[in-house]
Amino acid sequence: MINQLDMPTVLFLQKTSYIAGALTLGYLRLTSTESRGVGLLVASFVVLAGGSTLAGHAEIHPALYGPLSLVNIVLAVLGYCLLGLAFVVISNPDRKIKTWLVALPAAATLVIGLTTAFHLNNTYRATTFTFLGCLTMAATAIIVLLDAQREPLPIRKLVAAILGCASVLSLIMGLEFAFNTFPLLDVANGFFLMILSKFVLAISIVIFISERQHLKIRRLADRDALTGLYNRRFFNSAVPSRLHLGDAILYLDLDHFKQLNDRWGHAAGDEVLQIMGQAVQAILPPHALLARQGGEEFIVFLPAEADDAMIHAERIRKAICDLRYPSLPADITVTASIGIARASQAGSDLPYLCREADRALYLAKAAGRNRVCDADAEIFPQDQQRLAAIGFSSGVK
C-alpha cells in the first residue's frame, strides 16, 4: 500500500493545508486583540509545513534522504510541541508559559537521530510523528475542557472534540505504522483525515477567538467601568419586571460623597466607590444582584429566599462604616443610607418598587443619614419631628 501511494502528492497537500491554516491564523493574529497564543499556532503550522516540504524532497531526492528525513522529524516534533503550547495559551491567555521549553524535545530528537539514525527507517519516523501527535492532541483537548470552568465558551467542547478525534486518528495511524499493517486506515486516507483536521482546527480557533471577543464586549456592556460591578442596564435586564412575593429592592447612597470628592479629590472618591462596591458584593447572599446606579448610588435585588432584607441592609450599612481607605485619613468614616422596598404580592412591578426604595432612601437621608429605612415600616417617633422640620420634599441627598 505504501509503495503504491504517491507520497510527494500527499505531502504537498499536507503542506498546503498547513500554509492555508497559517495564513488564516496569521490574519487573525494581526487583527484581533484577543489573540495571545495564535502566533504560536501560526509558527507550528509554518514549521510543520517546512517539515512536509523536506519530506517531499526526501522522497524525490534519494541522495539527500538521510539529512532531509532527520530535519523532517525534528521539525515535526518542534511543530507539534508548538501546536500543543499554542492551544494551552489560547485556552487560557493568562497562563504563564516558558516558550523556549518546546525546543527541548526537538533537540533531543536531533541528538537521538544523530546517534541512532532511527530516522532512516520510515516505520520508526512515522510512528514517532503520529504518536507525538496523539499525545499532544489528547493533552490539549483535556486542558481546553478543564479551562471551561474559568471561561465557559460554547466552542470549547467543539475544539476539544476535534482535538480528541485528531488524537484518536493519530493513535490509529501510529499503531498501524508500528505494526506495518493498515486494516482500518490506509496511508492515503489517514493523511487525508489529518489534513482535514488541520483545516477544521484552524476554523475552530477563529470561532474560539471570536466568541472570546464577543464575551468581552458583552461584559463591557454589562459592567461599570470604575467598580467592575454590574451597571443599571444589566440590572434592568436581569431582574424580572414582575417580582415574586417577598423580593426586595435596596437603594444605597453614600453620605456626603460630594464633600468627600471636593476635599480629598476625585481619585480618592473613585477608590471609595471601588473598595465599597467590592466589599458589599462580598457579603451579599447567593442570587442577590448588586449594580451601580450611577455616581455614588447603588441598587440591590434581594430574592425572597435571601431572608429578611432589613438584616442584609443593616449588615451592608455596618460593613461600609467599618471600611477604611488608603487615600483617606484613618479617622475618616464613610457611611451610607439605604432604602428598602418589598414586593407585597406576586407580580409586583419592578419600576414601582424602585421608586419606593428611592423614597425610603430619601427618608433615611432626611432622618440623619447612616441608617436603613423600610418603605413599608413606620418612621420612628424621634424621626417624625425632624422630618416635619426638614420637609421630605426638600430632597436632601
Side-chain angles (χ1 to χ4, degrees):
M1 179 65 69
I2 296 178
N3 294 331
Q4 298 174 358
L5 181 67
D6 183 4
M7 286 302 296
T9 300
V10 173
L11 293 172
F12 173 77
L13 293 175
Q14 187 180 42
K15 176 180 65 177
T16 303
S17 72
Y18 288 136
I19 293 174
L23 290 174
T24 302
L25 295 169
Y27 178 79
L28 178 64
R29 174 68 180 83
L30 294 175
T31 58
S32 173
T33 58
E34 300 292 327
S35 59
R36 183 168 184 261
V38 175
L40 288 172
L41 194 56
V42 172
S44 74
F45 277 30
V46 170
V47 170
L48 290 171
S52 294
T53 300
L54 294 179
H57 283 296
E59 292 292 328
I60 60 179
H61 296 94
L64 299 176
Y65 185 84
L68 289 179
S69 61
L70 176 59
V71 177
N72 162 247
I73 189 61
V74 170
L75 290 180
V77 171
L78 178 60
Y80 267 120
C81 290
L82 282 170
L83 187 143
L85 180 65
F87 275 100
V88 169
V89 176
I90 291 171
S91 181
N92 181 4
D94 296 328
R95 187 175 279 126
K96 304 300 181 182
I97 297 292
K98 296 181 179 179
T99 308
W100 62 267
L101 291 175
V102 299
L104 296 181
T109 302
L110 177 61
V111 172
I112 294 172
L114 291 173
T115 55
T116 67
F118 81 97
H119 57 282
L120 298 177
N121 186 304
N122 281 336
T123 298
Y124 292 162
R125 194 171 72 253
T127 302
T128 300
F129 176 79
T130 50
F131 275 140
L132 177 62
C134 171
L135 293 175
T136 301
M137 300 293 187
T140 51
I142 293 172
I143 290 172
V144 168
L145 283 179
L146 291 177
D147 285 341
Q149 297 179 359
R150 184 192 63 87
E151 185 188 39
L153 297 175
I155 191 63
R156 283 188 181 275
K157 293 182 180 179
L158 176 60
V159 172
I162 296 170
L163 289 168
C165 291
S167 175
V168 172
L169 172 62
S170 296
L171 176 62
I172 292 173
M173 294 191 66
L175 291 173
E176 289 183 336
F177 277 123
F179 293 101
N180 199 28
T181 178
F182 302 86
L184 297 178
L185 288 171
D186 59 33
V187 178
N189 287 329
F191 270 94
F192 170 76
L193 292 177
M194 290 182 70
I195 292 169
L196 183 62
S197 70
K198 300 302 187 298
F199 275 120
V200 176
L201 275 177
I203 295 172
S204 69
I205 290 303
V206 174
I207 299 173
F208 194 104
I209 299 299
S210 177
E211 279 194 4
R212 176 172 286 157
Q213 288 180 318
H214 289 162
L215 179 62
K216 184 176 181 179
I217 292 171
R218 188 163 64 248
R219 284 175 176 170
L220 289 174
D222 293 341
R223 296 280 182 174
D224 172 60
L226 176 63
T227 62
L229 302 175
Y230 288 115
N231 55 30
R232 182 59 189 264
R233 190 202 70 81
F234 178 82
F235 184 91
N236 287 334
S237 64
V239 178
S241 59
R242 297 290 179 178
L243 302 181
H244 297 96
L245 177 64
D247 290 347
I249 298 294
L250 276 60
Y251 265 43
L252 183 158
D253 186 277
L254 296 181
D255 299 323
H256 303 298
F257 188 74
K258 184 179 183 303
Q259 296 178 20
L260 185 149
N261 268 335
D262 292 342
R263 183 174 181 183
W264 303 106
H266 288 279
D270 289 349
E271 179 186 79
V272 168
L273 292 173
Q274 292 168 339
I275 294 177
M276 185 279 298
Q278 296 306 315
V280 173
Q281 180 71 69
I283 63 174
L284 285 175
H287 309 302
L289 179 59
L290 169 67
R292 186 182 180 193
Q293 174 93 332
E296 68 274 23
E297 297 181 351
F298 298 80
I299 185 170
V300 179
F301 167 69
L302 284 173
E305 59 267 24
D307 296 329
D308 186 64
M310 178 63 76
I311 294 175
H312 290 294
E314 275 294 336
R315 184 180 296 129
I316 293 171
R317 185 197 63 79
K318 186 177 185 306
I320 294 174
C321 281
D322 293 340
L323 289 174
R324 292 297 178 266
Y325 307 91
S327 297
L328 300 180
D331 60 340
I332 297 297
T333 299
V334 178
T335 63
S337 301
I338 302 174
I340 303 174
R342 295 181 181 84
S344 58
Q345 59 184 6
S348 294
D349 185 59
L350 175 61
Y352 171 75
L353 243 64
C354 288
R355 290 193 297 270
E356 284 295 288
D358 193 35
R359 180 178 68 83
L361 172 62
Y362 271 94
L363 290 173
K365 290 281 190 181
R369 294 183 173 83
N370 189 25
R371 66 187 62 205
V372 177
C373 180
D374 191 333
D376 295 333
E378 294 185 2
I379 304 303
F380 294 108
Q382 61 267 32
D383 291 332
Q384 288 180 337
Q385 294 179 355
R386 179 178 175 84
L387 287 176
I390 296 177
F392 172 69
S393 62
S394 63
V396 177
K397 194 114 174 179

